[in-house]
Amino acid sequence: MESKNIFKRDIAEVRDVKLQKYSPIHTAGPVIEPGNWEKSDPFLLMMEDKFQKGSFDIHPHRGIETVTFVIDGTIEHYDSHTGDGGIIGPGDVQWMTAGSGVVHNEVPSEGVTAHSLQLWVNLPRDKKMTTPRYQNLMGKDMPVRKEEGAIIRVFSGSSMDVISATKNHVPVTMVEMLLEPGASVTQNLPGSYNGMIYLIEGSGVFGKNEMKASKGQVLWLGAGKESEESEVDITAIEPLRIVLYAGEPLMEPVVARGPFVMNTEEEIDQAYLEYRQGTFLKD
């Protein structure tokens, strides 16, 4: 059997994530900053938040998916679609497809400071108005790939031969990795995917160009080769906990205003009009 060409990815950029205090109960910073759509496609925004009850009020979304990963604490979710979206705790993920529209809120449990990462995934033009859905992905239930000194939990997509059952409108790989000092793993990705790694704890060496990074930094993967499979090499220096996100670019126009992300200004105006008139939520 002919072997496939495997392209080893470099790390194109290492950046510190700087948290700032928005209020006495909310500290946050951008892991992915909005606006550079081509660079981050299909991802729109990611925030790291440390927050308590009262930091956010009820708010709408349309045209995106939100992927909330809880690092610490517990988050209770309420929305217009299901009423009660459930509770997620450390190591859990809620994958919310806003689609045609939801009105919701994410609230840390009483007296708890939640620490989370929330990613916004763009939806393609033909899925912008899809029916909303929720996938509560409990860390303990996710498929796991085990290597020497390493545990890789697959929330979406795959890691080598370990495949997640999570449903995607846009192909996305999301894995959490826990590595002991000196342990090395390789994550496979389609060559066309954009991607990044966020370091929650520890330090390590990443990519073919062996970039060093540590807690609180985000690493953007270098470009792959669309016709080839690619791999990212990761080695822990200290006990390492990271989350890797990668996805298939949509290469569509992006118009974002507040909580709505569509393809045209007219579609954004329509979303705001419907929200003001009370016709935002679809059957």
Side-chain angles (χ1 to χ4, degrees):
M1 182 181 292
E2 185 179 348
S3 61
K4 289 184 177 180
N5 292 325
I6 303 295
F7 181 80
K8 291 287 188 176
R9 295 268 190 127
D10 284 338
I11 300 301
E13 177 188 345
V14 179
R15 180 175 60 82
D16 293 333
V17 176
K18 298 179 180 178
L19 304 185
Q20 60 178 335
K21 210 166 187 64
Y22 285 89
S23 76
I25 59 173
H26 184 204
T27 301
V31 179
I32 299 176
E33 296 179 337
N36 194 347
W37 312 123
E38 185 176 350
K39 172 186 173 181
S40 61
D41 189 7
F43 307 130
L44 298 159
L45 167 73
M46 177 185 272
M47 294 296 292
E48 180 177 4
D49 292 284
K50 295 180 179 179
F51 61 113
Q52 298 174 14
K53 188 174 183 178
S55 298
F56 300 105
D57 203 350
I58 295 172
H59 58 279
H61 286 295
R62 174 177 285 178
I64 64 170
E65 297 183 296
T66 64
V67 181
T68 305
F69 176 74
V70 180
I71 298 171
D72 196 22
T74 53
I75 297 176
E76 303 174 20
H77 184 258
Y78 303 92
D79 68 89
S80 56
H81 186 65
T82 64
D84 180 1
I87 299 174
I88 52 175
D92 297 337
V93 169
Q94 184 188 72
W95 202 294
M96 181 186 83
T97 303
S100 62
V102 297
V103 177
H104 81 143
N105 201 8
E106 296 149 314
V107 182
S109 299
E110 193 68 49
V112 169
T113 297
H115 183 191
S116 68
L117 297 170
Q118 185 173 93
L119 173 69
W120 288 16
V121 182
N122 199 11
L123 284 172
R125 187 189 303 271
D126 62 349
K127 296 294 184 181
K128 288 289 189 187
M129 297 297 287
T130 195
T131 302
R133 75 179 175 203
Y134 296 85
Q135 299 175 86
N136 286 334
L137 310 176
M138 302 305 176
K140 64 181 178 60
D141 298 328
M142 294 297 101
V144 172
R145 171 187 162 204
K146 293 184 179 180
E147 303 290 346
E148 185 175 354
I151 295 174
I152 303 165
R153 187 165 287 107
V154 185
F155 285 97
S156 180
S158 64
S159 185
M160 296 306 181
D161 59 350
V162 178
I163 301 172
S164 167
T166 300
K167 298 175 183 177
N168 294 136
H169 289 299
V170 178
V172 171
T173 292
M174 176 187 175
V175 297
E176 177 192 16
M177 297 186 180
L178 304 172
L179 278 69
E180 298 173 2
S184 294
V185 297
T186 297
Q187 173 64 39
N188 58 309
L189 295 169
S192 57
Y193 277 23
N194 281 335
M196 60 98 179
I197 298 169
Y198 184 66
L199 278 72
I200 298 173
E201 294 290 345
S203 62
V205 178
F206 300 84
K208 183 182 177 182
N209 53 343
E210 298 184 341
M211 295 290 289
K212 290 184 178 179
S214 57
K215 176 181 177 179
Q217 292 187 308
V218 58
L219 293 75
W220 277 100
L221 304 184
K225 294 184 177 180
E226 190 165 344
S227 61
E228 296 182 12
E229 287 296 304
S230 70
E231 292 180 342
V232 183
D233 295 329
I234 299 162
T235 299
I237 298 173
E238 302 173 301
L240 182 64
R241 184 186 184 193
I242 65 173
V243 187
L244 179 149
Y245 303 84
E248 184 70 47
L250 297 178
M251 293 181 285
E252 293 182 354
V254 174
V255 180
R257 200 185 310 156
F260 306 135
V261 182
M262 303 299 286
N263 296 111
T264 68
E265 289 285 353
E266 291 76 15
E267 290 168 334
I268 293 287
D269 291 341
Q270 183 66 26
Y272 274 100
L273 177 63
E274 291 177 13
Y275 188 64
R276 289 194 299 269
Q277 292 181 339
T279 59
F280 176 73
L281 299 176
K282 308 301 181 186
D283 294 332

